[in-house]
């Protein structure tokens, strides 16, 4: 039985929700989003709350019931507050700059790395070494941040690369000369 799936999602003021067979449309002050639901799960608006329901009393649907409720909750939070991931660029000469809808990164390679920003994502760069990725869709914000980090993952030996703000790396000792 899914305890998370049974909890209703409260609809804040300024947010409109339209539930149909394909999913849930959520509009709010930060934007709008359409969240698809897993098969066998439906959503309905009741008394100012969004309630997810299973179509059958099948044990296999329990995991999707909780998932559907979490996805709808993330969509509601995204259109009201938005989602944000922060990255730091660490290394001598490593930097980033915005040029239109692209980020040009100098990450120690022989060439600059160009990263295209997807639609629906906003990126802000502070001091050339701090990147803030914001948007309405939690999954998309996390994926863009992960793709940026993947361009130059943090090195455990020299501690250089692109890392999440607050990420702690375990420093490895290099070879010792005997």
């Amino acid at each position: 039985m899914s305890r998370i799936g049974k909890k209703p999602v409260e609809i804040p003021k300024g947010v409109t929700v339209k539930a149909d067979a394909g999913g849930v449309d959520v509009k709010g002050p930060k934007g709008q989003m359409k969240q698809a639901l897993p098969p066998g799960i439906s959503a309905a608006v009741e008394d100012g709350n969004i309630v997810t329901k299973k179509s059958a009393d099948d044990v296999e649907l329990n995991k999707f019931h909780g998932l559907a409720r979490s996805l709808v909750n993330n969509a509601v939070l995204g259109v009201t507050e938005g989602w944000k991931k922060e990255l730091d660029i660490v290394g001598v000469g490593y930097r980033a700059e915005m040029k239109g809808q692209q980020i040009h990164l100098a990450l120690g390679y022989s060439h600059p790395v160009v990263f295209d920003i997807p639609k629906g994502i906003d990126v802000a760069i502070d001091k050339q070494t701090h990147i803030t990725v914001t948007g309405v869709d939690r999954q998309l914000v996390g994926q863009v941040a992960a793709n940026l980090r993947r361009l130059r993952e943090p090195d455990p030996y020299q501690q250089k690369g692109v890392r999440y703000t607050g990420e702690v790396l375990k420093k490895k000792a290099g070879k010792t000369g005997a």
Side-chain angles (χ1 to χ4, degrees), residues 13-39:
K13 291 184 178 177
V15 176
T16 59
V17 178
K18 186 175 130 186
D20 56 10
V24 178
D25 289 323
V26 185
K27 290 182 185 177
K30 295 260 183 187
Q32 66 180 28
M33 189 175 159
K34 177 158 178 69
Q35 181 61 57
L37 296 175

Side-chain angles (χ1 to χ4, degrees), residues 36-85:
L37 296 175
I41 306 294
S42 63
V45 179
E46 298 175 0
D47 300 329
N49 293 323
I50 306 169
V51 180
T52 56
K53 298 177 183 175
K54 297 186 290 183
S55 62
D57 200 19
D58 187 11
V59 176
E60 288 296 314
L61 287 179
N62 286 344
K63 56 189 169 191
F64 295 121
H65 192 202
L67 170 72
R69 191 259 181 209
S70 295
L71 291 173
V72 170
N73 187 47
N74 288 343
V76 170
L77 288 175
V79 298
T80 54
E81 301 167 12
W83 296 100
K84 176 171 80 166
K85 286 276 190 179

Side-chain angles (χ1 to χ4, degrees), residues 87 96-105 107 112-125 131 133-134 140-141 143-151:
L87 299 152
E97 75 177 301
M98 290 284 295
K99 290 186 179 175
Q101 282 298 103
Q102 294 180 330
I103 303 173
H104 290 256
L105 299 139
L107 297 174
V113 179
V114 179
F115 184 83
D116 294 321
I117 302 170
K119 186 179 176 188
I121 294 293
D122 294 324
V123 175
I125 298 176
I131 301 173
V133 181
T134 56
L140 188 58
V141 169
Q143 188 63 53
V144 169
N147 290 345
L148 282 167
R149 183 180 184 273
R150 193 177 299 134
L151 294 174

